Amino acid sequence: LQKPERVTVSVECCYQNVGIATSAAVTMFKGSELALALGVPLYYGIVEAVILGLYCVVAWKIGWTKAPADENICVVVTTSYEAKSDSGYEVVDEVDKTSTQEGEIV
């Protein structure tokens, strides 16, 4: 996998863990034990969101994403860096962002 895909897979794997833990807690516990058990994935999810946010910013700044490292963070968050073909989005190794129109790469 290329570095942008590695970042994507690592983020996706982390977020799936919260869903799995929540599902397990809901099926295994009842009543007051359920409330206590749900606290674990809730806490983990909050910590994970903070750590993954930092991880994504660091990955972006060191050039491991498709977004240019010197771009404004507001532009990066609101822009798709996948190439768009006539039939929809397709994965590419690099995107040449020369100009934008309504948030799309042209």
Side-chain angles (χ1 to χ4, degrees):
L1 293 174
Q2 299 295 320
K3 289 179 181 177
E5 287 79 20
R6 292 178 196 173
V7 172
T8 300
V9 169
S10 61
V11 170
E12 288 293 330
C13 288
C14 289
Y15 273 115
Q16 290 175 5
N17 287 339
V18 173
I20 292 168
T22 303
S23 296
V26 167
T27 58
M28 293 174 61
F29 298 99
K30 302 287 183 223
S32 62
E33 287 183 333
L34 175 60
L36 186 60
L38 286 175
V40 174
L42 176 64
Y43 175 75
Y44 177 82
I46 292 168
V47 171
E48 172 189 60
V50 171
I51 291 172
L52 280 177
L54 294 172
Y55 169 73
C56 288
V57 169
V58 169
W60 163 51
K61 285 298 189 180
I62 63 174
W64 282 25
T65 66
K66 293 180 180 181
D70 60 343
E71 185 66 80
N72 181 301
I73 193 166
C74 294
V75 173
V76 169
V77 171
T78 60
T79 303
S80 172
Y81 290 92
E82 296 294 328
K84 187 173 181 183
S85 68
D86 293 337
S87 61
Y89 289 99
E90 61 184 39
V91 177
V92 295
D93 288 333
E94 292 185 27
V95 173
D96 179 22
K97 184 182 174 199
T98 55
S99 64
T100 60
Q101 182 179 29
E102 296 180 26
E104 291 185 316
I105 297 171
V106 289

